[in-house]
Amino acid sequence: MRHRHLGTATLALGLVVLTDVLRVFLPSVITIFGQAASTPAELLGAFALGWFVLALAAPALVVRVGARPVGLAAVLVLGATRLALTAAPGGRTQLWLASAGLLAGLVWLAATAAQVTHPVPGLAFGLTAGTLGHALLGTHDLVWWGRWESWLLSVALVALLLGAAVASARPADASPAVSEQPVAPPARSWLLAGPALLLGGMVALSPAVASTAMSFWYGAAGTALPPLFALAPLGGAVALFVFCTLTPPAGRWRPLPPVLLSAGALLFGYGPPTALSPAMLLGAAGLGGCLALTTVEQGPSTAARRGYAAVGGMLVFAVAAVLYYAAYDIGYPNGSLPAGVAVLVGLVALGGRLRPAAAGTVPSPAAAGSTTAGSTADGRPAWLAAALAALVAFGAAWVHGPWLVATNRDGPPEQVRLVAYNIRMGFGLDGRLDLAALDRAIGPADVVVLSEVDRGWLLNGGHDTLHLLATRLEMPYVFAPAAGALWGDAVLSRWPVRQVQTRALPAVGAPTGAQALGVTVDFSEGVRLAVVSTHLQPPPGTDPVVQARAVAEFATGYADGGPLVVAGDFNTEPGDPAFAALTGAGLLDAFAAVRPLPTSPADDPREQIDHIFVSPDLVATDPVAVPSTASDHLPVAVTLRLPPAAPQ
């Protein structure tokens, strides 16, 4: 029993560290290897998948050398690379460290599968611990902190993993009694590790998705509900996941978990943004139930088969993730992919036969693999574990909830500093999520218009970049999705905002969606400013004139004759048809006096594609493109002098 508990703890801790490395590897592939769309999507996918394919050799290595030495060597490399990533300066060093850590983690997983016959408790506790840890950190990974606390916590995590791995690798005690001997479930328990990591990180157990989901309900600035409820979907999701994992369904209830999981995945893929909350809850309950189903079924299980199942499941993770997110570069429907993985999980979970009880014995729940935590028939430990997980999630919400408060100063301002910035999901040219660098690039501002805002894409590490940056800037935000519910544009304002409106722009064959977001900044005493944020996304090699016309029509109608600013990444240069469509609608180029003003790429600006347009009644001064490599674009800024309030 002691070794079974150690194996469960090692698996859980290892999964947390492996997930940490994945949250660095995935965005590194995009931002460092791919330089964010400058490398063909097919090459990006091949590079990412190559490491998972290479790991298919791990089970044979485990059989030839032995699970314990291979597992110990792999977990040492995994821990070392995890610590090295905390010190990595970004760039190619970060990419290769993350790749080495990923490969080591996959080899460790294969070696662990050869030794641990009942992985579900470890997988469940690892997924839950990783989720709650990410929530407690506000979705800001320790790797990106750049402070001494990140070293302290990272060293503690790796030390716990290495200690548990060394202890569990020692020879086991004498064989336990027959009633305690586990009957090895089929390798499908391990096969679900990768898909569970994918569906959990994509929607069911994602703190960033939870905070985004609530923002669609409690308003633009995130202040209508107390902070305790900022992660309400996550609290319910982790509680359902833990409880359903520890209480396997029986009899006619066995098909229920796959149905719930598929329903959650369909809502995520095809539902409106407000459906994210029920998608999380359904997905978490179904995912936990599917894992639990594999603990009460019987089938052949060898060390090699379990190893191949573990690595094969991670390959499913990689293929599905690449296919899902490549759709935004290549262009094809991807809403069915999460549902397809959910159906696969359900089929695997239901694919075995019930284990017959041995004559004269009643296998304990721990022996059956449902949990090593001593679950009993009345389910009280399962309820307690679920309640504890939910409590931690709500505690994380209290720490990182929407404390942002719109500050309406006394009277209207004499001038307003407005910044427009394509933040590339928060990642700089070095491939690091550097909130401090973004803060410095934005500088003192009253209104900030952001493009390429990521609020939980697993591909980018599952961060709520908007909330992280808004918290640092102490500015409430309005978010409008453009590609799915988690990626789009935003407006941040130190002053209250009213009359939020959005309009989807014509796709004109572009794979990534585009939209226009209009907000009215209320300076009081009848002084208001209409701000429209957009990011034009034309097909490669074409001018976004159709989208520009749609933005001009929306913006002028939204402002209704009042002061207006239209800002963002327009992917068009002065003199192009799209640029002319905006100036032809009566808008003025705020940077006309300082042209040329290149803004991309950030390290060697050559293209003038980030702009601010203003209505004729606004006076724009101090136009500038701020030097910074915190993104692949430069932020652009102007100071606006507002017209006097209209007489009442």
Side-chain angles (χ1 to χ4, degrees):
M1 292 297 292
R2 176 176 65 86
H3 285 274
R4 187 151 56 240
H5 285 293
L6 280 172
T8 296
T10 304
L11 176 56
L13 289 167
L15 193 61
V16 171
V17 176
L18 177 57
T19 303
D20 268 4
V21 172
L22 270 170
R23 289 198 184 106
V24 179
F25 172 79
L26 292 172
S28 295
V29 171
I30 300 299
T31 60
I32 300 173
F33 182 84
Q35 288 299 310
S38 66
T39 301
E42 297 85 353
L43 185 57
L44 282 177
F47 178 84
L49 291 175
W51 299 100
F52 293 86
V53 173
L54 185 61
L56 289 173
L61 177 66
V62 168
V63 171
R64 179 179 295 273
V65 179
R68 288 177 181 172
V70 171
L72 281 176
V75 81
L76 284 171
V77 175
L78 174 62
T81 53
R82 170 61 186 82
L83 292 178
L85 284 170
T86 307
R92 295 285 173 175
T93 301
Q94 174 181 295
L95 175 64
W96 294 118
L97 279 173
S99 301
L102 170 64
L103 182 58
L106 295 174
V107 174
W108 163 81
L109 199 64
T112 302
Q115 302 173 81
V116 178
T117 56
H118 297 284
V120 171
L123 293 174
F125 296 149
L127 288 170
T128 303
T131 296
L132 296 178
H134 209 217
L136 287 169
L137 296 174
T139 75
H140 190 194
D141 296 316
L142 294 174
V143 168
W144 314 118
W145 278 21
R147 305 199 304 267
W148 67 267
E149 297 97 326
S150 63
W151 274 105
L152 180 64
L153 294 173
S154 297
V155 169
L157 175 61
V158 171
L160 284 173
L161 170 61
L162 297 182
V166 170
S168 63
R170 293 171 184 164
D173 297 332
S175 297
V178 173
S179 62
E180 295 181 351
Q181 288 180 347
V183 180
R188 72 176 137 267
S189 300
W190 280 105
L191 185 59
L192 293 188
L197 191 60
L198 175 77
L199 295 174
M202 186 175 284
V203 55
L205 299 172
S206 170
V209 172
S211 63
T212 305
M214 290 306 294
S215 72
F216 291 121
W217 286 96
Y218 58 67
T223 55
L225 283 182
L228 184 62
F229 297 100
L231 293 178
L234 183 68
V238 293
L240 285 170
F241 176 74
V242 170
F243 180 78
C244 292
T245 304
L246 300 184
T247 54
R252 62 182 180 180
W253 298 107
R254 292 178 69 246
L256 182 59
V259 171
L260 294 176
L261 181 60
S262 298
L266 285 170
L267 272 180
F268 175 72
Y270 295 103
T274 51
L276 282 178
S277 295
M280 285 193 71
L281 298 174
L282 291 170
L287 187 60
C290 287
L291 285 173
L293 280 173
T294 67
T295 69
V296 293
E297 296 174 351
Q298 188 181 29
S301 180
T302 64
R305 183 171 294 186
R306 293 194 299 272
Y308 282 114
V311 179
M314 292 302 297
L315 184 58
V316 171
F317 166 93
V319 170
V322 167
L323 289 177
Y324 181 81
Y325 291 108
Y328 294 110
D329 289 320
I330 301 175
Y332 51 81
N334 62 356
S336 62
L337 272 165
V341 176
V343 170
L344 174 64
V345 169
L347 292 175
V348 170
L350 293 172
R353 59 186 184 275
L354 292 180
R355 178 190 303 123
T361 64
V362 179
S364 66
S370 60
T371 178
T372 58
S375 176
T376 59
D378 61 14
R380 280 176 295 181
W383 280 110
L384 290 174
L388 179 61
L391 183 64
V392 174
F394 281 107
W398 186 259
V399 174
H400 298 287
W403 293 97
L404 308 170
V405 177
T407 57
N408 193 348
R409 302 165 185 169
D410 295 332
E414 295 183 0
Q415 58 186 24
V416 175
R417 188 67 170 170
L418 185 142
V419 178
Y421 198 5
N422 181 326
I423 62 171
R424 194 173 77 150
M425 296 79 69
F427 288 90
L429 291 183
D430 59 358
R432 296 182 66 82
L433 181 66
D434 193 340
L435 298 174
L438 290 169
D439 188 355
R440 291 192 298 269
I442 292 171
D446 299 294
V447 179
V448 180
V449 175
L450 299 179
S451 304
E452 291 194 14
V453 175
D454 170 36
R455 303 206 63 189
W457 269 12
L458 180 62
L459 180 71
N460 299 320
H463 315 103
D464 187 350
T465 310
L466 176 59
H467 190 76
L468 286 169
L469 184 57
T471 302
R472 188 176 186 94
L473 296 172
E474 298 182 340
M475 299 177 72
Y477 57 81
V478 180
F479 174 70
L486 304 175
W487 192 93
D489 311 301
V491 175
L492 293 77
S493 172
R494 298 194 186 280
W495 302 80
V497 295
R498 319 286 186 208
Q499 302 173 350
V500 177
Q501 293 184 23
T502 62
R503 175 178 295 180
L505 302 182
V508 294
T512 305
Q515 66 81 51
L517 164 65
V519 304
T520 297
V521 183
D522 187 356
F523 299 107
S524 77
E525 298 186 14
V527 178
R528 294 178 174 84
L529 175 67
V531 178
V532 173
S533 167
T534 193
H535 179 196
L536 305 188
Q537 295 274 38
T542 63
D543 188 83
V545 61
V546 174
Q547 292 182 343
R549 289 171 182 158
V551 168
E553 178 187 5
F554 167 76
T556 53
Y558 174 77
D560 193 24
L564 169 66
V565 175
V566 183
D569 175 2
F570 290 83
N571 279 307
T572 189
E573 298 201 64
D576 290 344
F579 195 94
L582 290 157
T583 56
L587 297 171
L588 304 179
D589 175 16
F591 301 120
V594 292
R595 295 290 183 190
L597 191 70
T599 60
S600 177
D603 55 345
D604 183 21
R606 297 183 301 275
E607 299 178 303
Q608 304 180 73
I609 58 176
D610 301 274
H611 308 295
I612 298 176
F613 298 94
V614 299
S615 55
D617 53 353
L618 288 174
V619 177
T621 60
D622 303 323
V624 65
V626 181
S628 174
T629 56
S631 170
D632 61 343
H633 288 241
L634 299 182
V636 292
V638 294
T639 300
L640 303 173
R641 189 166 71 244
L642 301 172
Q648 300 296 321

